[in-house]
């Protein structure tokens, strides 16, 4: 038998305390969800602006690459690309927002940007290289923001589920238990009062 359902004042106080904690928890979860949604919308707007930049940057970078191909030939451009410096300056850190781990991409570009001879190339190659370096920078930034949006959206869904569980299951069930125990106690007190009245009347009649 579940002792928490017994009509005692102790169980009534436990039910009331559980109800208060559940209502407070629901309020805090709602507040957390609103903050997370507000933050996510900021990142969504940043992502939208970056995607517009990336579309433009892609078009410009490939147009400059085409100019370089025309100036030097595709084979020479491929040879330059094969000898390019490996870029491993990306590291991922994390910061916390309302208990959610948000990725922070730290990018440290190599000290030497290009590894080809300026004598054997033209300005069109330099322009293409710089365009792709800029493109890489904003792609890294967008990757961080997209990952942040995903993390926040998952946290919002989780918070919403917990909030709904409190609102639709825990709180109504606890209210029902509180009323059930309170009603049983009141009924018992009425019965005790009635018995006392009968006992008092009996004592009066026997005198």
């Amino acid at each position: 038998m579940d002792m928490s359902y017994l009509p005692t004042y102790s169980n009534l106080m436990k039910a009331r305390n559980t109800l208060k904690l559940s209502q407070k928890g629901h309020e805090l979860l709602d507040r957390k969800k609103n903050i997370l949604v507000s933050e996510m919308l900021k990142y969504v707007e940043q992502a939208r602006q970056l995607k517009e930049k990336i579309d433009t940057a892609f078009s410009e970078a490939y147009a400059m690459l085409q100019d370089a191909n025309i100036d030097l030939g595709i084979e020479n451009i491929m040879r330059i690309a094969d000898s390019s410096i490996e870029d491993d300056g990306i590291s991922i850190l994390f910061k916390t927002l309302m208990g959610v781990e948000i990725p922070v991409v730290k990018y440290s570009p190599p000290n030497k940007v290009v590894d080809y001879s300026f004598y054997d190339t033209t300005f069109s190659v330099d322009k293409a290289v710089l365009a792709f370096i800029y493109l890489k920078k904003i792609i890294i930034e967008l990757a961080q923001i997209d990952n942040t949006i995903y993390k926040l959206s998952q946290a919002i869904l989780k918070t919403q589920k917990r909030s709904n569980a409190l609102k639709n299951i825990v709180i109504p069930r606890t209210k029902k238990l509180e009323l059930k125990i309170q009603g049983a106690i009141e009924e018992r007190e009425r019965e005790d009062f009635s018995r006392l009245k009968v006992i008092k009347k009996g004592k009066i009649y026997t005198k």
Side-chain angles (χ1 to χ4, degrees):
M1 182 180 176
D2 189 350
M3 303 299 287
S4 65
Y5 285 89
L6 291 177
T8 64
Y9 279 105
S10 174
N11 284 337
L12 180 60
M13 293 307 298
K14 285 179 183 177
R16 285 176 176 172
N17 287 336
T18 300
L19 182 59
K20 285 180 182 178
L21 287 173
S22 299
Q23 289 170 334
K24 186 65 177 176
H26 177 255
E27 180 186 333
L28 291 173
L29 286 172
D30 260 5
R31 195 179 304 166
K32 177 181 178 179
K33 183 196 72 176
N34 291 335
I35 292 171
L36 291 175
V37 168
S38 176
E39 287 297 317
M40 189 182 75
L41 290 176
K42 292 178 187 176
Y43 284 109
V44 167
E45 177 58 23
Q46 289 177 28
R48 186 191 64 78
Q49 293 175 0
L50 271 177
K51 284 173 183 176
E52 290 178 359
K53 283 185 180 179
I54 285 175
D55 288 342
T56 304
F58 259 116
S59 299
E60 291 177 352
Y62 278 103
M64 292 175 188
L65 178 60
Q66 190 174 14
D67 290 342
N69 285 333
I70 293 169
D71 284 352
L72 290 185
I74 294 176
E75 288 184 1
N76 287 326
I77 295 299
M78 289 179 66
R79 177 179 52 79
I80 293 170
D82 289 339
S83 65
S84 61
I85 301 167
E86 182 179 353
D87 188 352
D88 58 354
I90 296 175
S91 57
I92 300 176
L93 307 173
F94 291 93
K95 66 179 182 179
T96 303
L97 173 66
M98 300 292 291
V100 183
E101 280 195 339
I102 303 298
V104 178
V105 179
K106 188 175 181 181
Y107 176 57
S108 302
N111 294 327
K112 192 176 181 182
V113 177
V114 296
D115 195 24
Y116 59 83
S117 169
F118 292 109
Y119 179 77
D120 295 330
T121 58
T122 62
F123 182 56
S124 60
V125 176
D126 300 338
K127 287 172 66 178
V129 168
L130 291 174
F132 277 99
I133 288 173
Y134 171 71
L135 180 59
K136 177 173 64 178
K137 178 185 174 184
I138 57 178
I139 286 175
I140 290 170
E141 191 177 348
L142 179 61
Q144 172 183 307
I145 290 174
D146 277 347
N147 202 288
T148 298
I149 291 170
Y150 173 77
K151 291 278 188 180
L152 288 173
S153 66
Q154 292 298 106
I156 289 166
L157 286 174
K158 185 177 178 181
T159 304
Q160 185 65 57
K161 284 182 180 179
R162 292 173 63 191
S163 176
N164 288 342
L166 285 173
K167 180 183 178 182
N168 300 322
I169 299 172
V170 177
I171 292 175
R173 185 173 61 195
T174 309
K175 279 183 178 179
K176 186 177 178 181
L177 175 61
E178 179 196 7
L179 292 173
K180 182 178 179 181
I181 294 173
Q182 185 175 343
I185 289 173
E186 290 173 353
E187 181 64 26
R188 188 179 62 197
E189 287 176 346
R190 282 194 294 269
E191 290 175 356
D192 290 344
F193 181 72
S194 297
R195 278 195 293 269
L196 283 174
K197 284 178 71 176
V198 170
I199 291 169
K200 285 182 180 180
K201 286 181 180 179
K203 286 182 179 179
I204 292 171
Y205 291 144
T206 55
K207 285 182 179 180

